Structures are given as C-alpha cells and as structure tokens.
Amino acid sequence: MNNNRDKRWSLHGSTALVTGGCKGIGHAIVEELASLGATVHTCDLNELELNQCLQQWQELQFPVTGSICDVSSRDDCKKLMERVSAMFHGKLNILVNNAGTAFTKPNVDFTAEDYSFIMNTNFESAFHLSQLAHPLLKVSGSSSIVFISSISGLVGGSHLSLYSASKGAINQLMKNLACEWAKDNIRCNCIAPGHINTPLRSLVLENKEILNKEISLIPLGRIGEPEEVASLTGFLCLPVSSYITGQVICIDGGRSTNVLW
C-alpha cells in the first residue's frame, strides 16, 4: 500500500472531541478514533466513570484526555470548548456530538421539565457545541462533524415523541450545516442507529416481548454493537470520506420500516 493511500485511511495528527465518551456508543467511538491515530478529548457527567475510563485508555496507550461536562448547560459547553481550544492550540478536526438521553412516556404525560431536559441534552447541546467549535474546525482546514442521531428521528413509534423530536431536529440541523459550512471545508453527517446494545437502549427497551419482536424484524437477526456504530463514525472522519457530507446514515441491521413499535 502506498503512502498516499495510508494517509487516506489514517487520522494521525488529527484532534477530536467526543461528547459522552464513557459508555456505550461514545466509549466505542473514543477508542475507534484513538486507534486510527487521533488525539481525543472526551467529556462525561460522571467523574468516577470518566476517571476509570481514562485509566483504561492510558493502559492501552490511547492519546485520550477527559473532563467533566454537563452538555445540557451552555456554560459547561463553553468551558469545555475553551479547554479543547487550549489543548489543541485553537484547531479541531473532529467533533462527535454523541451525548444524549431518553426515557419513554405516553405523549400526554410528558412535562415541561421533561421537554427541557431532553431537548437541552440531545439537541441544544449539539447545536451549541457546533457553534462553539466552528472557528476551531474552520481553521484546521479540513474537518468533520458527526452527529449521533437515531432511527427514531426518521420513523414513528410509541412513547418516544420527545426523544424522536430531538433526534429529528438533529438530522435537519446537520443538513443545514452541511450546506452552510461546506465553504469552510467542514463536512457534517448523521449516524442514525437502530437498536444498539447500550445501557441507554436497555432502559428504553425493558419489555423483553417488544425487544424480541423487534429483533425478529431485523434481517441480521440481532441488535447492533457500539463498535459497529463507532467504525462508521471513524470512516466518516477519515480523509477517504472527503466527498461525503449532508447524509443521514441508518445503521439498523438492514431493517426498513415506517414504524418502530
């Protein structure tokens, strides 16, 4: 393999920020980007879990640092980006807006507090962090934003109206930023996972009967693993994907439907 081809499949020299990197998909993304050569900073709300992950990554010799951040807080997001800017000397190649939350309720039972919590955590954080990161991404000369959305933002379901709305908003935000920031050499894409084996998914799908029904409709016959989302994230950040932007990419084991459950 020649040197130019090697570079197209490598993130060596790149810097990355991944939100919510201590569990599930975020954790897998941190390790994927680091294994491809990127220097990664991640954030999480749980200090104990963050310190445990940082110790593990240090043992694996992954170039990963981390800090505490509540992404639903605009002040915390601003402090996070200031820290990242100082660490990476004002340049950022990759932003992965991964942090999010979900819980299920009938639509009529959602409160104003529920609305604020879900929208601030899932949508507002991605919107604001993208704004804050724009100067760092632009000055790097070639950069990528990956939003971790959900298939729930594309199809209908029950008891997930707020979560689905927040993810649908992310999908549309990405499409607009892909158009607006193309001139700045910033690519923007969404990954919309279906059922992935994460702690968050286990909370959403506690009903085994519903889960088994869902699995029976997936052509691959199983739910996905976080590493399978992470590998797609890594691809979208590599130089080899330099002509891919503005896309919502579903990763759902081959299922195609208008209704989740």
Side-chain angles (χ1 to χ4, degrees):
M1 185 178 290
N2 62 44
N3 189 49
N4 286 336
R5 185 172 292 276
D6 286 343
K7 289 180 179 180
R8 285 172 58 77
W9 290 94
S10 171
L11 291 177
H12 282 285
S14 297
T15 58
L17 170 61
V18 180
T19 62
C22 288
K23 295 187 291 294
I25 292 172
H27 185 276
I29 290 172
V30 168
E31 296 198 347
E32 180 74 15
L33 297 181
S35 68
L36 288 168
T39 300
V40 183
H41 187 81
T42 190
C43 67
D44 204 88
L45 193 57
N46 188 306
E47 185 174 7
L48 177 61
E49 290 183 354
L50 177 62
N51 289 335
Q52 290 174 341
C53 288
L54 290 175
Q55 183 176 350
Q56 293 169 2
W57 290 326
Q58 184 177 14
E59 292 171 356
L60 293 170
Q61 297 185 330
F62 283 156
V64 180
T65 56
S67 56
I68 301 300
C69 179
D70 178 0
V71 296
S72 69
S73 163
R74 290 181 69 88
D75 287 341
D76 273 21
C77 288
K78 183 178 179 181
K79 291 175 183 176
L80 172 66
M81 201 57 64
E82 288 172 349
R83 180 167 185 167
V84 168
S85 179
M87 290 179 59
F88 296 151
H89 309 291
K91 294 183 179 181
L92 185 66
N93 299 103
I94 298 164
L95 170 62
V96 181
N97 286 306
N98 165 75
T101 190
F103 52 86
T104 61
K105 280 185 181 182
N107 185 69
V108 294
D109 292 339
F110 279 113
T111 65
E113 290 74 20
D114 293 335
Y115 177 88
S116 295
F117 178 63
I118 289 182
M119 294 304 291
N120 286 344
T121 304
N122 292 1
F123 177 69
E124 161 67 13
S125 66
F127 180 87
H128 191 212
L129 282 170
S130 298
Q131 285 183 318
L132 294 171
H134 176 262
L136 284 69
L137 295 164
K138 181 179 179 179
V139 76
S140 73
S142 178
S143 54
S144 176
I145 302 177
V146 178
F147 298 84
I148 303 302
S149 178
S150 170
I151 196 171
S152 297
L154 297 166
V155 301
S158 297
H159 296 185
L160 279 171
S161 57
L162 279 183
Y163 176 76
S164 297
S166 70
K167 294 301 186 177
I170 283 177
N171 295 341
Q172 193 59 42
L173 170 65
M174 176 278 300
K175 292 178 183 180
N176 284 272
L177 293 186
C179 295
E180 187 174 338
W181 291 353
K183 67 182 186 303
D184 299 323
N185 293 315
I186 301 172
R187 296 184 296 109
C188 303
N189 292 286
C190 272
I191 298 175
H195 299 310
I196 305 296
N197 186 22
T198 68
L200 180 60
R201 177 57 61 182
S202 66
L203 291 175
V204 174
L205 283 180
E206 293 176 343
N207 188 311
K208 296 298 182 182
E209 181 179 348
I210 293 177
L211 177 58
N212 290 334
K213 180 180 179 181
E214 285 300 300
I215 291 175
S216 72
L217 298 173
I218 298 172
L220 288 181
R222 63 174 177 84
I223 62 176
E225 295 299 328
E227 292 76 16
E228 293 172 310
V229 181
S231 61
L232 177 55
T233 305
F235 171 74
L236 290 172
C237 297
L238 285 165
V240 75
S241 65
S242 59
Y243 201 57
I244 301 175
T245 193
Q247 303 303 306
V248 179
I249 303 173
C250 296
I251 178 167
D252 62 351
R255 180 179 178 182
S256 178
T257 182
N258 289 322
V259 179
L260 285 177
W261 61 78

